[in-house]
Amino acid sequence: AQSVAQPEDQVNVAEGNPLTVKCTYSVSGNPYLFWYVQYPNRGLQFLLKYITGDNLVKGSYGFEAEFNKSQTSFHLKKPSALVSDSALYFCAVRGLNTDKLIFGTGTRLQVFP
Amino acid sequence: NAGVTQTPKFQVLKTGQSMTLQCAQDMNHNSMYWYRQDPGMGLRLIYYSASEGTTDKGEVPNGYNVSRLNKREFSLRLESAAPSQTSVYFCASSEHPGQGITEAFFGQGTRLTVV
């Protein structure tokens, strides 16, 4: 079955420090992986995606994510966090031959000044 | 460029009432989705549609029906609303895997309260 796990409900980090938001997935075959961000009372905004190719994917607002096939992970990272990065982050997966797009439970990122 | 448009934005229903949430996209996407978002539960897939005329159940389909009216429109119907269906509902669209992967584009959501 297709699934996504985001093991941390909340991640706290000081401004200027690096941040990591974790995601692991389960899907048949090769995965297509996505990260989205949601600000309060807003819809979801796309950050980045892994389809194929380089395992390190760069996206919007300085975020990047590393695809690790052996660990079935796709962790979101940023070298230097900003207070404005505080939001709810979602990881999502779809399989090679399916339109089914499954999201994780979300991780709330709090960046403190 | 509107993207994905959902109506209404807010709705209050009484238990047992029915209603239809409307969704339309103008990006010529084949795939469309309905999700619900609840605190601590993330986004859960209710139904999805790979193309006009096809629909498939997601993770939490019970209590809902959908119609893919044409390529642009995908509606979600609650036949007899229950308080457990109080949630924020999101519609999304994306392209087929076979057509080149795009990310999903989301509407702004419908906040539904069932009393």
Side-chain angles (χ1 to χ4, degrees):
Chain A
Q2 196 174 327
S3 65
V4 173
Q6 292 182 245
E8 302 151 317
D9 290 336
Q10 181 156 324
V11 170
N12 299 316
V13 65
E15 188 173 34
N17 282 1
L19 70 87
T20 299
V21 182
K22 295 179 181 177
C23 171
T24 58
Y25 67 89
S26 173
V27 71
S28 297
N30 292 327
Y32 299 125
L33 296 156
F34 305 85
W35 276 102
Y36 286 81
V37 60
Q38 185 180 38
Y39 297 99
N41 299 314
R42 302 289 295 276
L44 273 74
Q45 298 177 30
F46 169 74
L47 279 179
L48 51 80
K49 65 185 175 187
Y50 171 81
I51 304 300
T52 187
D54 195 346
N55 289 344
L56 185 64
V57 179
K58 294 188 184 296
S60 306
Y61 313 120
F63 284 93
E64 58 189 29
E66 186 166 11
F67 170 61
N68 187 318
K69 189 171 184 178
S70 63
Q71 297 185 3
T72 61
S73 67
F74 189 55
H75 301 331
L76 181 70
K77 301 182 180 185
K78 188 173 183 181
S80 179
L82 299 172
V83 173
S84 57
D85 292 330
S86 298
L88 188 57
Y89 290 80
F90 289 97
C91 182
V93 66
R94 68 192 288 182
L96 182 65
N97 294 312
T98 176
D99 292 275
K100 196 174 185 180
L101 180 63
I102 298 297
F103 282 77
T105 52
T107 298
R108 187 164 301 281
L109 174 66
Q110 289 274 30
V111 182
F112 296 96
Chain B
N1 190 359
V4 179
T5 303
Q6 289 181 236
T7 55
K9 288 185 169 52
F10 301 94
Q11 184 71 48
V12 178
L13 288 179
K14 293 182 179 179
T15 297
Q17 286 185 316
S18 62
M19 79 160 295
T20 300
L21 280 65
Q22 306 287 354
C23 176
Q25 52 94 7
D26 62 3
M27 294 170 283
N28 203 36
H29 285 163
N30 284 292
S31 305
M32 296 187 74
Y33 308 84
W34 275 106
Y35 293 90
R36 60 178 290 173
Q37 183 178 17
D38 303 290
M41 304 295 288
L43 270 79
R44 291 181 292 171
L45 181 63
I46 304 171
Y47 272 94
Y48 65 106
S49 170
S51 62
E52 182 181 348
T54 68
T55 61
D56 286 287
K57 293 179 180 179
E59 301 168 285
V60 288
N62 290 346
Y64 305 95
N65 287 303
V66 290
S67 295
R68 183 74 183 268
L69 305 170
N70 48 54
K71 193 171 186 179
R72 288 188 66 247
E73 298 173 287
F74 189 39
S75 62
L76 178 72
R77 182 160 178 85
L78 286 70
E79 291 291 352
S80 179
S84 60
Q85 294 178 304
T86 294
S87 188
V88 180
Y89 291 84
F90 288 100
C91 178
S93 72
S94 72
E95 196 43 88
H96 260 310
Q99 303 297 321
I101 291 293
T102 71
E103 62 273 21
F105 293 81
F106 281 80
Q108 288 302 298
T110 296
R111 188 172 294 273
L112 175 67
T113 302
V114 183
V115 297

